[in-house]
Amino acid sequence: MNKNIFLVLIAGSLAIAAGALFWSMQEKPVATGPALPTFDYVNGDSWAERPELPPPAVWETGWDIDVVLLAGEAALEISGTQAIEKRRVEAAGKLNDLAGAFEKTGTVYAPYLRAASLEEDTAAALSHYLSTDNRGRAFVIATDRPLPAAVLPLFEADPLLRDRFGGVLLFGENNAGAGLSEGLAPGVTCSRRYKADEGCIAPVELRRSGNGFAASGGERLVNGLIPWLNEHTSKLAEPLGELEEIEIIEIRRPGETD
């Protein structure tokens, strides 16, 4: 009798172990949740940081610097347990803290990005900034990721853009030895201010300061940028307003009127 009970216990233990092994080998379900919104960078709510009033254009007060903050660490991810709005609030908090580290460098623009569409959103946000917000101003990009190749056409389409591009301030874990991206050679994106062998990327160290961050490094890109622009580059002229259609009136000689 005792022997039978012992065999039953052994068989039960083996069945439990086999079941546990089978369960552990199953693919874990992919976390799903509400779809993230597609950001339209024309709208202000697609930006965590953006000035309420546009800073003066280059043709109004001369050269000044903007900082476009592209932070992959603050990108929104899909989560089945967290509401979209809560994720946006958390991303806004991270971007606000990071923006504080670059406020001394210039006016900060920080778009929301989606982790699953990081390259696409990076290119779209940068494209909108250049076409609408930049207005001929000098700018640098602060990022924790190499710039994607998707931004290459932006620089290729406008030779003057490269001159006022100060370079990349690279922060975070990727700030040592990282390049712009595969296919984004310094000769394509960097200003002629820089020698071919030095490039236009500088590592930046962020350290906690109160509730935010303070940045150190990157002075090579920022210091002397405006004096160089004043000496070597022409400012963009103010764009013409919209064309107004003028009706052409027929000219008649005396006696030809009805």
Side-chain angles (χ1 to χ4, degrees):
M1 182 70 177
N2 291 337
K3 183 178 179 181
N4 292 335
I5 293 175
F6 177 75
L7 292 175
V8 170
L9 292 175
I10 292 294
S13 299
L14 291 174
I16 293 173
L21 178 62
F22 175 79
W23 180 260
S24 66
M25 295 175 65
Q26 300 301 304
E27 291 187 4
K28 295 182 179 179
V30 178
T32 59
L36 293 173
T38 300
F39 293 117
D40 181 357
Y41 296 105
V42 174
N43 299 325
D45 60 2
S46 292
W47 298 79
E49 293 289 328
R50 193 182 188 186
E52 292 185 9
L53 297 175
V58 69
W59 54 81
E60 294 174 345
T61 59
W63 293 109
D64 210 342
I65 301 175
D66 290 339
V67 180
V68 182
L69 174 59
L70 303 170
E73 70 176 62
L76 281 73
E77 297 184 358
I78 294 177
S79 171
T81 60
Q82 194 176 43
I84 292 175
E85 191 55 36
K86 185 176 181 181
R87 280 175 274 158
R88 185 193 287 263
V89 170
E90 290 180 351
K94 291 180 182 178
L95 290 169
N96 181 264
D97 287 347
L98 291 170
F102 298 101
E103 287 178 345
K104 292 183 179 179
T105 301
T107 303
V108 179
Y109 294 79
Y112 290 110
L113 304 172
R114 296 168 296 168
S117 306
L118 199 57
E119 293 192 5
E120 175 187 345
D121 288 355
T122 294
L126 184 59
S127 176
H128 176 77
Y129 161 77
L130 292 174
S131 64
T132 304
D133 297 307
N134 176 259
R135 304 202 299 162
R137 291 164 61 89
F139 71 102
V140 295
I141 294 174
T143 183
D144 57 353
R145 300 288 191 279
L147 290 181
V151 307
L152 178 60
L154 301 177
F155 291 90
E156 289 182 326
D158 185 358
L160 296 179
L161 180 64
R162 288 176 55 191
D163 272 348
R164 63 180 189 273
F165 175 46
V168 176
L169 302 174
L170 197 61
F171 63 89
E173 297 179 356
N174 298 319
N175 70 353
L180 290 173
S181 177
E182 294 182 7
L184 281 181
V188 178
T189 53
C190 294
S191 165
R192 54 194 172 93
R193 175 188 180 211
Y194 305 105
K195 297 178 181 178
D197 59 345
E198 65 181 0
C200 56
I201 305 171
V204 173
E205 180 181 355
L206 299 184
R207 62 184 185 280
R208 276 289 175 184
S209 178
N211 295 326
F213 293 95
S216 60
E219 292 82 6
R220 176 178 70 88
L221 304 186
V222 178
N223 293 347
L225 175 58
I226 290 179
W228 184 89
L229 290 169
N230 280 322
E231 186 173 347
H232 295 90
T233 306
S234 300
K235 301 180 182 69
L236 291 184
E238 181 176 4
L240 297 174
E242 295 183 1
L243 296 178
E244 179 182 355
E245 184 176 350
I246 301 176
E247 182 182 358
I248 299 177
I249 302 175
E250 183 181 358
I251 300 176
R252 298 183 179 183
R253 297 182 180 84
E256 293 181 343
T257 57
D258 295 333

